[in-house]
Amino acid sequence: MRRKTKETDIAVEIGVEGGIETGDRVFDHLLTALFFYMEQNVSIRASYDLRHHLWEDLGIVLGEELREKIRGKKIARFGNAVMPMDDALVLVAVDISRPYLNLELDVKESEEGFEVTLVREFLWALARTLNATIHVKQLAGINAHHIIEATFKGLGIALKQALRESERLESTKGVL
């Protein structure tokens, strides 16, 4: 999946080896954790003008790529994780059905590159493009790096669960 605008040029391909090169070392680190815990190989290439545009547009492209991967399939729909990382403890829950984001992070100690505003842009873009409800709730922690990395690891586990194939349509309505 590729998205090319005046602000970004991003390509994401899940299921192939290729590594992650966005030009943002913090984002590369977090995406590496996300896909490790999703248990998926990925190739991501990106160029951008502003970090805000990179994070938001990558969320869009990732949502489109995941949506394409599950098109026509029955999926488990729900996934969740409670992820510890040193001082941090973060709950992540996902429902692949309709777009919504609830992000409750309260970072007390900042660290260069680890910004909650960028996490919010990425997750909201992913949620609306994948049609996923994503809840992230910080249960403990003060360090930005630990809290945000726990979020990406937990999201990886939750998405792995939610996107796995199911034998039935996981909806009492008969449609997601």
Side-chain angles (χ1 to χ4, degrees):
M1 194 65 57
R2 186 170 182 201
R3 176 180 173 90
K4 184 174 173 58
T5 71
K6 292 179 180 180
E7 300 168 337
T8 63
D9 186 356
I10 299 172
V12 175
E13 191 174 359
I14 296 174
V16 300
E17 290 192 37
I20 298 168
E21 293 179 20
T22 67
D24 180 333
R25 290 176 41 209
V26 169
F27 204 19
D28 289 355
H29 173 65
L30 296 169
L31 291 168
T32 297
L34 172 72
F35 284 98
F36 178 84
Y37 287 97
M38 282 180 71
E39 296 183 14
Q40 291 287 329
N41 290 322
V42 68
S43 174
I44 298 176
R45 298 289 174 268
S47 60
Y48 63 96
D49 60 356
L50 300 172
R51 289 181 77 214
H52 177 105
H53 297 150
L54 169 67
W55 285 59
E56 181 179 19
D57 284 12
L58 208 143
I60 291 168
V61 179
L62 177 56
E64 290 172 344
E65 174 74 359
L66 290 171
R67 195 99 203 120
E68 185 61 31
K69 293 282 185 194
I70 62 172
R71 186 176 315 283
K73 296 180 181 176
K74 295 176 184 170
I75 58 167
R77 181 179 169 184
F78 301 102
N80 63 78
V82 176
M83 184 59 64
M85 184 170 174
D86 299 337
D87 58 294
L89 184 63
V90 178
L91 177 146
V92 180
V94 172
D95 172 8
I96 311 290
S97 66
R98 54 184 156 237
Y100 182 80
L101 174 64
N102 179 44
L103 182 65
E104 296 180 31
L105 298 182
D106 183 23
V107 172
K108 303 276 192 249
E109 293 178 355
S110 63
E111 184 172 329
E112 185 179 348
F114 291 87
E115 299 166 24
V116 174
T117 57
L118 295 175
V119 174
R120 181 180 314 283
E121 290 304 318
F122 171 74
L123 291 177
W124 177 228
L126 175 63
R128 67 181 186 263
T129 310
L130 179 56
N131 285 335
T133 295
I134 301 173
H135 285 269
V136 177
K137 184 170 184 67
Q138 176 185 333
L139 303 175
I142 57 172
N143 180 275
H145 185 151
H146 300 157
I147 294 164
I148 292 171
E149 187 169 340
T151 297
F152 274 73
K153 289 176 177 180
L155 180 63
I157 290 170
L159 284 172
K160 178 180 75 172
Q161 293 170 2
L163 295 169
R164 73 182 187 276
E165 289 195 48
S166 177
E167 291 186 14
R168 67 180 193 164
L169 180 64
E170 297 295 333
S171 172
T172 56
K173 296 176 184 176
V175 64
L176 287 182

